[in-house]
Every structure is written in structure tokens, then in C-alpha cells.
């Protein structure tokens, strides 16, 4: 028969630490204790007793506040490199009489992944109340960030002791790649050809040129009635017009070559080139979404299925999540990309080091990671120039800019 139950890993853990002021205060108590023992005096004894009482009261009051406190992290779904990430915390005081004061929430996270920019803090949580506090982080790298434990602490009332409640709660936040403002004319040049330009759809339902004639349906406008057909056959028919399809672009990332096999210049980081290629892909998708294009994503070299051509918020978030989840340490697979694609869409290929035109048809456009600076909006270049130490690559074949 076991007399001691196993410790619940999900149960909050309480700890007490001395602050720097508390260490000095304890040293002063020892000095006063030695003085009161060497030369007993009523005043010294009273001061010594008051100092001890203040230390005990500090520990008792802070412990009384933190014991009924419950904390929950409200994880955000996703974040983005270059944009602030807010993590919210819900602090609940289950006590019926004792309030909580000066509560600080700190997260146990690697600063190389999430850089703290603002600490979550709550001044007061009344009895039976629930408040929310927000911490601000700066995502440093894309990918999945695992959140583990977080701490709720207070130094109330005298700042001598720090009472800590450590809450074991795991969570994940997916950090999307950084989006940089690219030149608008880039996509205009890419989609100006027959494959990606604006054209008529194969289905009717728009307000453009004549598409066909169909039977009249209830609710059709009288302006669309085919009067000549009515006069000749005596049957009511409706003129159907075509609708324009927005330009379509597919973004292809070439990740067939492992990181260690990339051709780099002296002092150039191969992994940084791959990350810049992913930034170009994310920025191109964001620009296409802002311009109302249909867009898609394909990644060569990793086992990720191609995404179909669509547009909209959820389609964009799906593609960004795929780019965020790319594992550059995973084994690469051989493939020829979209060299035999018959899709009617402009194809934009991105390469980490040098352009390999065999990955796509001759009509495709090719960009390398070193060309990122030349692809940025000129307004951004004047506001915050990017100094990477690499010169833009020469324009490759196949219509590269």
C-alpha cells in the first residue's frame, strides 16, 4: 500500500525567492539581533522584533494572495516574423476575501525564437475576479515554437520576497515567414503573358462579352432576355455573358539541393539563403493576394503536395502555414518541379543560390535569394536599407527580372 501519491505534473508549483532588498533586509535583521543580544535595550529589541514581524508578514500576505490564484495561457494561433506577437493570460482569483496585487507573468521561452518585448502585468485582481494580461514578443525565426511553463510572481507588499506560481502548460505557436513589400510591377510583368494574364472564364455569369444563350430562369433580369429568340421561337431565353478571371500565378520553391551542398560565396550563410528564398515566396503570395490574383504554391525537394490555385484569406493562411512548417533539416528528394505543367498560370520559381531553369517550362520566371533586395519596394529601400553583404545575381534565363 502506497502512503504517498505521485505528484500531479499539471498542478501549479509554488516557490519563494529572496529579492536583493530582502537579502539586505535579512542582513540588517542579523545585525540588529547581534546588537540586541550584546547590549539589551528596549528600543533595539522593539526594532528587532518589528523587522522580524515585517518579514513574516511579507511572506504570509504574499502567500495568502498567490494560493487561490489560477492562471491560464490563451495561445495565439499563429504569429509572423517582423510583427509583434501577443500572448494573453487569464488570471482568476478564487479567494472570497483576499485580493491579489502586482502580478507579473513571465514565459519560459527561448529568446532566439521569441524575443520578449513587453511583460504581462496586472495591478489588481479582486476576490472572485478574472482579469487578462498581455505579453508582447518579437518572433525571430519562422517555424513551430513550443511554449512550456510560465510563471506568475509578485513582490507585494514590501518587495522583500518574490512569491512564484509556476504553471505547467504546454502549447504551440506557428510562426509564419516574414512578409516584405515587393514592387507591384513585378507581378504585373510576370502575369502579362498569355498564361497568367486576365482572360475570360470557361463559365458564364459575369457582365463581359457574349457567352451564350440559355433557358429563362425565375429571377433573371428582363434586360438579359433574348428578344430575337423570343420573336423567332416564342420561347423566353436569357443571354449569358462571360466573366473575367483574375491573373493566376503559381510560386515554385526549389529546395532540392541540401543546405550543405549550396553554392555560396565566402562568408555567406547557406541556411540564410534558403530562408530568404522562403521570404520571397511568402512576399510574392502576399502581394498576389493584395492585388486580387489567384495564386498557388509548389515546393520541389520536400514531400509537400502542391496547393491548387485559389484566392482568399483562408487560402493565403494555408500557404503561409505550409511555408512556416518547412523543415530545412529534413532529407531532400529529387524531382524536376513543374517542367511538364499544363496549368494556365504564370510560374515564378525561386532558388536559394543559383537558378536552375530545368525545373520549370521556358515561360517561367526565375529569381534567386540574392535578388531579394532588388525586388523590394523603393520606398522601403529609402526608409530602412537592407545590408546583407551579397550582390544581386545576374538575371537568369527564362524571363527573370
Amino acid at each position: 500500500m502506497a502512503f504517498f501519491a505521485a505528484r500531479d505534473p499539471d498542478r501549479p508549483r509554488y516557490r519563494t525567492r529572496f529579492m536583493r532588498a530582502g537579502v539586505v533586509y535579512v542582513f540588517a535583521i542579523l545585525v540588529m539581533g547581534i546588537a540586541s543580544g550584546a547590549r539589551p535595550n528596549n528600543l533595539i529589541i522593539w526594532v528587532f522584533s518589528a523587522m522580524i514581524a515585517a518579514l513574516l508578514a511579507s511572506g504570509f500576505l504574499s502567500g495568502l494572495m498567490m494560493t487561490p490564484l489560477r492562471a491560464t495561457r490563451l495561445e495565439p494561433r499563429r504569429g509572423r516574423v517582423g510583427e509583434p506577437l501577443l500572448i494573453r493570460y487569464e488570471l482568476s482569483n478564487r479567494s472570497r476575501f483576499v485580493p491579489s496585487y502586482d502580478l507579473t507573468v513571465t514565459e519560459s521561452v527561448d529568446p532566439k525564437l521569441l524575443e520578449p518585448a513587453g511583460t504581462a502585468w496586472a495591478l489588481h485582481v479582486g476576490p472572485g475576479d478574472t482579469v487578462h494580461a498581455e505579453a508582447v514578443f518579437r518572433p525571430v525565426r519562422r517555424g513551430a515554437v513550443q511554449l512550456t511553463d510560465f510563471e506568475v510572481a509578485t513582490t507585494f507588499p514590501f518587495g522583500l520576497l518574490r512569491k512564484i506560481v509556476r504553471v505547467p502548460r504546454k502549447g504551440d505557436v506557428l510562426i509564419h515567414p516574414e512578409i516584405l513589400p515587393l514592387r507591384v510591377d513585378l507581378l504585373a510583368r510576370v502575369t502579362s503573358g498569355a498564361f497568367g494574364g486576365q482572360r475570360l472564364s470557361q463559365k458564364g455569369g459575369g457582365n463581359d462579352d457574349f457567352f451564350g444563350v440559355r433557358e429563362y430562369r425565375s429571377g433573371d433580369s428582363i434586360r438579359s432576355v433574348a428578344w430575337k429568340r423570343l420573336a423567332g421561337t416564342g420561347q423566353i431565353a436569357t443571354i449569358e455573358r462571360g466573366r473575367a478571371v483574375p491573373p493566376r500565378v503559381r510560386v515554385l520553391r526549389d529546395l532540392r539541393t541540401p543546405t550543405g551542398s549550396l553554392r555560396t560565396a565566402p562568408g555567406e550563410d547557406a541556411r540564410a539563403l534558403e530562408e530568404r528564398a522562403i521570404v520571397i515566396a511568402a512576399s510574392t503570395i502576399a502581394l498576389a493576394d493584395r492585388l486580387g490574383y489567384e495564386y498557388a504554391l509548389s515546393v520541389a525537394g520536400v514531400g509537400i503536395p502542391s496547393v491548387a490555385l485559389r484566392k482568399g484569406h483562408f487560402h493565403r493562411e494555408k500557404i503561409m502555414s505550409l511555408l512556416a512548417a518547412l523543415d530545412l533539416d529534413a532529407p531532400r528528394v529529387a524531382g524536376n518541379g513543374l517542367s511538364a505543367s499544363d496549368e494556365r498560370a504564370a510560374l515564378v520559381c525561386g532558388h536559394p543560390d543559383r537558378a536552375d531553369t530545368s525545373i520549370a517550362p521556358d515561360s517561367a520566371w526565375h529569381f534567386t535569394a540574392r535578388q531579394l533586395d532588388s525586388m523590394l519596394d523603393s520606398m522601403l529601400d529609402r526608409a530602412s536599407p537592407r545590408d546583407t553583404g551579397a550582390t544581386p545575381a545576374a538575371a537568369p534565363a527564362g524571363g527573370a527580372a
Side-chain angles (χ1 to χ4, degrees):
M1 181 177 179
F3 293 95
F4 298 97
R7 186 181 182 91
D8 187 3
D10 297 332
R11 186 176 181 180
R13 298 186 294 271
Y14 300 87
R15 292 183 298 174
T16 302
R17 292 180 180 176
F18 274 94
M19 303 293 292
R20 181 177 300 178
V23 175
V24 176
Y25 189 81
V26 171
F27 179 76
I29 290 178
L30 295 177
V31 173
M32 294 298 298
I34 295 174
S36 62
R39 296 186 60 181
N41 184 284
N42 289 337
L43 180 60
I44 297 179
I45 293 176
W46 275 104
V47 173
F48 176 66
S49 302
M51 295 178 68
I52 293 180
L55 182 62
L56 295 178
S58 177
F60 176 75
L61 290 177
S62 58
L64 194 63
M65 290 190 320
M66 300 300 286
T67 301
L69 189 68
R70 297 294 181 267
T72 304
R73 182 201 296 123
L74 306 177
E75 294 96 352
R77 293 184 177 181
R78 60 187 67 88
R80 186 177 306 283
V81 177
E83 298 179 4
L85 174 66
L86 296 180
I87 299 181
R88 303 184 66 190
Y89 303 90
E90 185 179 87
L91 306 176
S92 301
N93 188 359
R94 297 186 178 182
S95 176
R96 299 178 58 185
F97 306 102
V98 181
S100 300
Y101 296 96
D102 191 20
L103 301 176
T104 303
V105 185
T106 56
E107 193 74 49
S108 300
V109 65
D110 188 357
K112 296 181 180 180
L113 302 177
L114 291 180
E115 180 183 351
T119 305
W121 177 74
L123 175 62
H124 172 261
V125 183
D129 290 345
T130 298
V131 301
H132 291 85
E134 291 184 348
V136 183
F137 295 88
R138 294 191 185 95
V140 179
R141 295 188 305 182
R142 66 164 187 89
V145 176
Q146 295 184 352
L147 303 177
T148 55
D149 302 347
F150 67 94
E151 295 180 348
V152 184
T154 182
T155 59
F156 186 84
F158 305 125
L160 303 178
L161 302 175
R162 182 180 180 87
K163 287 287 186 178
I164 302 174
V165 180
R166 191 172 185 87
V167 182
R169 182 180 176 87
K170 296 182 179 180
D172 294 320
V173 179
L174 187 62
I175 305 301
H176 288 180
E178 184 179 11
I179 292 180
L180 298 177
L182 303 181
R183 301 200 317 263
V184 180
D185 63 304
L186 285 176
L187 283 184
R189 295 175 59 186
V190 167
T191 59
S192 60
F195 288 101
Q198 188 167 349
R199 64 191 186 282
L200 292 179
S201 172
Q202 299 297 325
K203 297 181 180 180
N207 297 313
D208 290 326
D209 296 337
F210 176 82
F211 182 79
V213 178
R214 60 171 173 80
E215 294 182 359
Y216 179 83
R217 299 172 186 171
S218 178
D220 288 346
S221 175
I222 193 174
R223 296 181 178 179
S224 60
V225 173
W227 298 107
K228 293 183 178 180
R229 174 70 65 87
L230 176 61
T233 63
Q235 298 179 353
I236 302 179
T238 301
I239 298 176
E240 197 170 30
R241 300 187 180 277
R243 57 187 175 91
V245 175
R248 312 170 78 186
V249 58
R250 175 173 290 276
V251 178
L252 173 62
R253 293 298 94 181
D254 184 10
L255 297 180
R256 297 173 300 171
T257 305
T259 306
S261 302
L262 294 177
R263 293 166 290 186
T264 58
E268 201 172 35
D269 187 4
R271 179 55 57 87
L273 288 179
E274 290 182 316
E275 292 293 342
R276 285 166 67 90
I278 295 176
V279 169
I280 293 178
S283 303
T284 305
I285 293 296
L287 178 59
D289 181 73
R290 181 165 63 90
L291 296 178
Y293 291 9
E294 290 185 354
Y295 48 88
L297 174 70
S298 297
V299 182
V302 296
I304 295 180
S306 298
V307 181
L309 285 162
R310 296 239 189 332
K311 64 177 180 178
H313 172 75
F314 293 103
H315 184 59
R316 165 180 164 165
E317 293 302 312
K318 175 183 178 180
I319 292 180
M320 294 300 176
S321 298
L322 288 176
L323 291 175
L326 284 177
D327 185 8
L328 298 180
D329 295 324
R332 310 295 173 87
V333 296
N336 61 349
L338 298 175
S339 59
S341 175
D342 57 352
E343 188 177 48
R344 294 186 59 86
L347 187 59
V348 179
C349 304
H351 309 269
D353 50 356
R354 298 181 184 180
D356 182 5
T357 57
S358 63
I359 196 175
D362 296 338
S363 60
W365 291 67
H366 297 268
F367 297 93
T368 65
R370 299 184 181 94
Q371 293 178 281
L372 176 59
D373 293 340
S374 62
M375 299 169 63
L376 296 179
D377 193 344
S378 59
M379 296 296 295
L380 177 66
D381 295 338
R382 289 194 293 267
S384 56
R386 298 169 58 93
D387 184 11
T388 59
T391 57

